[in-house]
Amino acid sequence: ENPVVAPGCENCNRFVDMNEMMNETMRKQPKYFKDGSVMNNLIESGIEVVWFSDLSQNDVVYGICVNREERKIIIVFRGTVNAHNWSMNFKFDTNEYRNPIKVNYPGREDELSLHSGFALYLLRKRKDTGLSKMDEIFEKVEQVGKEVAPD
């Protein structure tokens, strides 16, 4: 009985590189997204979506993405899609808010100017959890950050 060996190693008695075997298998897989498409570019970039919040179309819809190799966390917000969103956009004045980030960083200001409509979405406390979207985002980023960069 001959042992099962990786293709190309039939006559070899040596270590099989499983990573290379998996890479070769993945190269032979069909592509599910067209070259240049948003999904193909996302997959090829090494960025993965780790959290997506879209409980209501009348609320802040956001995603948290991570590039583990570069140890980067990216927060993305969905744009305007309905009349309610537009009504919030028209609240275009700005208000001053206390900077929620306590850590001192270069250029840090104690007060931040936020678009009034976006601030209403971002800072309003939810009835079910008592957290604002800002609190929720900070909580998720902290969890992801500890996973991506535990040191």
Side-chain angles (χ1 to χ4, degrees):
E1 298 217 271
N2 292 331
V4 177
V5 294
C9 292
E10 294 81 7
N11 298 323
C12 305
N13 186 14
R14 60 189 162 112
F15 175 77
V16 175
D17 185 345
M18 291 302 291
N19 283 334
E20 184 53 38
M21 245 175 66
M22 288 302 294
N23 288 338
E24 182 62 26
T25 300
M26 294 306 289
R27 281 191 289 274
K28 292 179 182 177
Q29 290 294 316
K31 287 186 84 166
Y32 294 101
F33 301 105
K34 292 180 183 176
D35 284 335
S37 70
V38 172
M39 285 305 296
N40 186 66
N41 290 344
L42 180 67
I43 291 165
E44 303 256 333
S45 73
I47 294 173
E48 68 182 90
V49 177
V50 294
W51 178 260
F52 195 78
S53 174
D54 66 344
L55 292 175
S56 167
Q57 293 301 305
N58 291 333
D59 207 352
V60 173
V61 175
Y62 71 92
I64 299 175
C65 304
V66 66
N67 182 319
R68 294 177 190 282
E69 187 175 308
E70 296 180 18
R71 295 170 54 155
K72 288 184 180 176
I73 297 173
I74 305 115
I75 303 168
V76 294
F77 295 93
R78 185 216 56 211
T80 303
V81 295
N82 59 32
H84 185 269
N85 294 156
W86 277 110
S87 71
M88 297 303 270
N89 288 350
F90 287 124
K91 297 174 192 255
F92 52 81
D93 57 325
T94 60
N95 291 316
E96 298 295 313
Y97 295 91
R98 187 172 33 84
N99 188 337
I101 300 174
K102 307 293 183 223
V103 177
N104 194 15
Y105 56 87
R108 185 186 185 284
E109 299 285 338
D110 290 334
E111 298 275 318
L112 303 174
S113 292
L114 290 178
H115 177 277
S116 296
F118 190 65
L120 287 170
Y121 278 141
L122 201 58
L123 303 175
R124 176 181 55 217
K125 300 282 186 196
R126 292 180 40 165
K127 291 179 182 174
D128 57 348
T129 64
L131 295 175
S132 69
K133 285 289 183 172
M134 177 75 83
D135 295 333
E136 183 180 290
I137 291 168
F138 282 177
E139 190 176 275
K140 296 295 180 192
V141 166
E142 184 175 4
Q143 289 172 358
V144 172
K146 286 179 180 175
E147 178 187 328
V148 172
D151 48 344

